[in-house]
Every structure is written in structure tokens, then in C-alpha cells.
């Protein structure tokens, strides 16, 4: 399913690369022959991913905070200075908010979700557009990490759900704005990938009918393989939206 880039290695940037889906996808991209800039807020986690990779010499950890415009600009300055181009951006960084009734959600939690999940993706997309338009050969691919919550909410998830619905708007608009410049933009909506961030799903999640039930999860490697496949497509083809999910998870008919 994977497509190895030709030599010299093509350049990818994965945000939120220190753990979970970002870690799995970064490792899979390196395994497939990509050089990967690993972006995240924790240096030790990023270094651990680089050390665990199939080719540490093709892993470039960079501490960055996608919420902060200056930090994102510094990240892309490092990338541009070291590699001169960017072929693939995976906007993966994201956070969950506490599962509380809407009226009890603090403004700070709402703002944190908007800052990471939406503004962070916008800032990275903006810098990627600037670089991809100017580089030779022109163009590149951007893949946004959406969610099943971009389609259907869980109970008590207003901030996360709102940002993931907004991510769909960002994807559509960026795809339109990028297509004249050979920039392909798409979104992968992921449901119940097994990582340390989704362990509660196996023990029980609140459902729309008020019951708490365990939910099926899938191997995160299946997500990583899908991301590598999309990354390796020619720019003449785009996967605008795709969903990869645990077969038995409650999505179709959710709510």
C-alpha cells in the first residue's frame, strides 16, 4: 500500500509527532523512505521517535508550538534552511477537551481547542503554501487530521467537535486555493485508533443514549499506512476526504 519516494528522499513535516497517531505516521513515513521533520512541544518525545525510526538520519526533531505564530514561522525557517522544500505536511497536532456539559466548559478550554486544533493547522498550512508555491518543482501535499467528530459529535464534546467541523472548512478552502499551484489538500477522518490517548474507549465511553459502553479500536498502523499511501500519490491526484475507522465502532447511526 505504501509508495516509496525516489531518491533523494522527499521531505515531510508531521505535527504532534511525539506520540499517538503522529508518532505512528512519522515512523511509517521514514520507513517508506521519506525524510521527516518531527514537530511537537516535547523534545524528549521527538528524540525518542527519531531513535526508534528505521533511519534516524532521516528524522529531524524540531520543538515547535503550533498555537504560536512565531514558533511556526521558526519551524518552517529551520525546514527551509535545512531542506529547501516541503513535499508533504500532515497537520496532526490536536487536543481533546474535558467531557463536560456545554454550559460547564470553561472559555479557556474552548480557546485551547481552537488554538491547537484549528489555528495551529491554519498557521502550518499558511507557511506550507508560501513554501510550496515558491519551491521548484512547485507544489506539494497537505493532509489534515480530521475526525469522526467532523461528521458526528460525541456527547459533551462541543469544543473538539466544533474545531473538527471547522477543519473540514479549512480543508475545502485550502484545496480550492491550492489547486492552481499544484498543492493538493485533503483530510483523513480517523475513528478509534488504538493509542495511549484512546485507552478509555476500550473501557467505556458515554453514548448518545446516555449509556456507557466499550468501543472497538483498530491498530494505529492502519492509519499510518493510509497516510503514507496518500503522501505518495502524484500531485495530479488528490484524496479530498477519506475515513479510516474501527469497523465495529459506533459511527454509522451514531446519535
Amino acid at each position: 500500500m505504501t509508495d516509496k519516494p525516489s531518491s533523494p528522499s522527499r521531505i515531510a513535516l508531521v505535527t504532534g509527532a511525539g506520540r499517538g497517531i503522529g508518532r505512528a505516521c512519522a515512523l511509517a513515513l521514514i520507513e517508506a523512505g521519506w525524510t521527516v521533520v518531527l514537530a511537537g512541544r516535547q523534545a524528549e518525545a521527538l528524540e525518542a521517535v527519531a531513535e526508534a525510526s528505521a533511519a534516524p538520519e532521516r528524522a529531524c526533531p524540531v520543538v515547535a508550538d503550533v498555537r504560536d505564530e512565531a514558533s511556526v514561522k521558526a519551524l518552517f525557517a529551520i525546514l527551509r534552511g535545512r531542506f529547501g522544500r516541503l513535499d508533504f505536511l500532515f497537520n496532526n497536532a490536536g487536543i481533546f477537551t474535558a467531557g463536560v456539559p456545554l454550559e460547564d466548559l470553561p472559555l479557556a478550554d474552548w480557546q485551547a481547542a481552537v488554538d491547537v486544533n484549528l489555528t495551529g493547522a491554519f498557521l502550518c498550512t499558511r507557511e506550507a503554501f508560501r513554501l510550496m508555491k515558491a519551491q521548484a518543482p512547485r507544489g506539494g501535499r497537505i493532509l489534515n487530521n480530521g475526525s469522526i467528530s467532523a461528521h458526528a459529535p460525541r456527547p459533551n464534546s462541543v469544543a473538539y467537535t466544533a474545531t473538527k467541523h471547522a477543519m473540514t472548512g479549512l480543508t475545502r478552502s485550502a484545496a480550492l486555493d491550492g489547486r492552481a499551484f499544484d498543492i493538493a489538500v485533503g483530510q483523513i477522518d480517523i475513528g478509534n485508533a488504538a493509542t495511549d490517548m484512546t485507552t478509555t474507549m476500550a473501557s467505556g465511553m458515554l453514548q448518545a443514549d446516555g449509556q456507557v459502553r466499550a468501543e472497538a479500536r483498530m491498530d494505529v498502523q492502519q492509519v499510518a499506512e493510509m497516510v503514507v499511501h496518500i503522501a505518495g500519490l502524484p500531485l495530479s491526484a488528490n484524496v479530498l476526504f477519506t475515513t479510516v475507522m474501527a469497523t465495529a465502532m459506533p459511527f454509522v447511526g451514531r446519535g
Side-chain angles (χ1 to χ4, degrees), residues 161-176:
T161 299
T163 57
K164 290 304 182 179
H165 273 65
M167 181 72 91
T168 298
L170 175 63
T171 298
R172 291 184 185 279
S173 189
L176 174 60

Side-chain angles (χ1 to χ4, degrees), residues 131-158:
L131 179 53
M132 289 174 175
K133 283 185 177 183
Q135 65 195 16
R138 186 181 69 177
R141 186 177 303 278
I142 299 170
L143 184 64
N144 294 324
N145 185 344
S147 171
I148 297 298
S149 290
H151 303 270
R154 291 186 178 279
N156 300 332
S157 66
V158 64

Side-chain angles (χ1 to χ4, degrees), residues 224-237:
E225 289 184 8
M226 182 68 75
V227 169
V228 172
H229 174 68
I230 293 171
L233 291 172
L235 294 180
S236 58

Side-chain angles (χ1 to χ4, degrees), residues 169-249:
L170 175 63
T171 298
R172 291 184 185 279
S173 189
L176 174 60
D177 292 347
R179 69 187 186 190
F181 303 96
D182 303 313
I183 301 173
V185 183
Q187 180 170 313
I188 182 168
D189 296 322
I190 301 166
N192 290 17
T195 70
D196 57 353
M197 299 172 69
T198 63
T199 53
T200 55
M201 292 178 180
S203 57
M205 293 291 292
L206 179 64
Q207 305 297 312
D209 62 4
Q211 297 185 37
V212 175
R213 291 192 294 270
E215 294 188 5
R217 295 191 298 163
M218 65 177 173
D219 189 337
V220 71
Q221 189 61 28
Q222 304 307 314
V223 178
E225 289 184 8
M226 182 68 75
V227 169
V228 172
H229 174 68
I230 293 171
L233 291 172
L235 294 180
S236 58
N238 186 30
V239 177
L240 183 61
F241 293 101
T242 191
T243 300
V244 57
M245 52 178 273
T247 302
M249 74 165 289

